[in-house]
Amino acid sequence: MEHDATQELPVTPGVVAGGSTSVSDEVVEKIAVAAAKSVPGVAELGGDIARFFNAVLDRVGLDQVGDARRGCSAHVTDGSAVVNLVLVIDAGHPVPQVTNEVRAAVASAIEAYGLRAAEINIRVDDVAIGSPPSA
């Protein structure tokens, strides 16, 4: 086989194959949780029961199980996301300020992934008394 040579194929830039793309609810939940945790004044995510089970998992060495989506549920339809968050806020941080910053951070993060943030609903479930407010 003396004539074995690599053949270069022409590539047309800008041509994209057809098809559809969907983003799962779980992906949006992970994005939203990461964004919410980045906001000063957010101590934790999740309601009482979720935090209880997380504490049990921490004690048995499974501290990463469920953390990525805890405290968040999301539903994606036609490129729009509805996100529901449950927060624990550090004592000394004004609830309206923290929730507005969480909403902005989550919306920005979701939109960076090409989705539209249709709703970001937040329920403040608790206040972390032992945590000093961060400046």
Side-chain angles (χ1 to χ4, degrees), residues 15-133:
V15 175
V16 179
S20 66
T21 302
S22 63
V23 179
S24 74
D25 297 349
E26 291 83 7
V27 168
V28 173
E29 290 166 359
K30 288 180 180 182
I31 293 166
V33 166
K37 284 182 175 180
S38 74
V39 174
V42 174
E44 282 188 79
L45 276 82
D48 292 335
I49 294 172
R51 292 192 321 271
F52 169 78
F53 281 115
N54 192 63
V56 171
L57 291 171
D58 287 351
R59 286 189 192 104
V60 296
L62 299 172
D63 55 342
Q64 298 300 316
V65 175
D67 279 355
R69 294 180 8 217
R70 182 169 42 106
C72 183
S73 66
H75 184 67
V76 181
T77 307
D78 297 326
S80 293
V82 174
V83 177
N84 299 300
L85 293 163
V86 179
L87 303 180
V88 177
I89 293 181
D90 286 322
H93 288 269
V95 171
Q97 178 183 340
V98 173
T99 56
N100 286 338
E101 289 177 17
V102 166
R103 234 178 233 107
V106 170
S108 178
I110 289 171
E111 290 168 1
Y113 281 83
L115 299 170
R116 187 176 77 79
E119 286 181 36
I120 300 170
N121 303 306
I122 299 172
R123 180 170 57 93
V124 177
D125 186 68
D126 203 353
V127 174
I129 300 296
S131 302

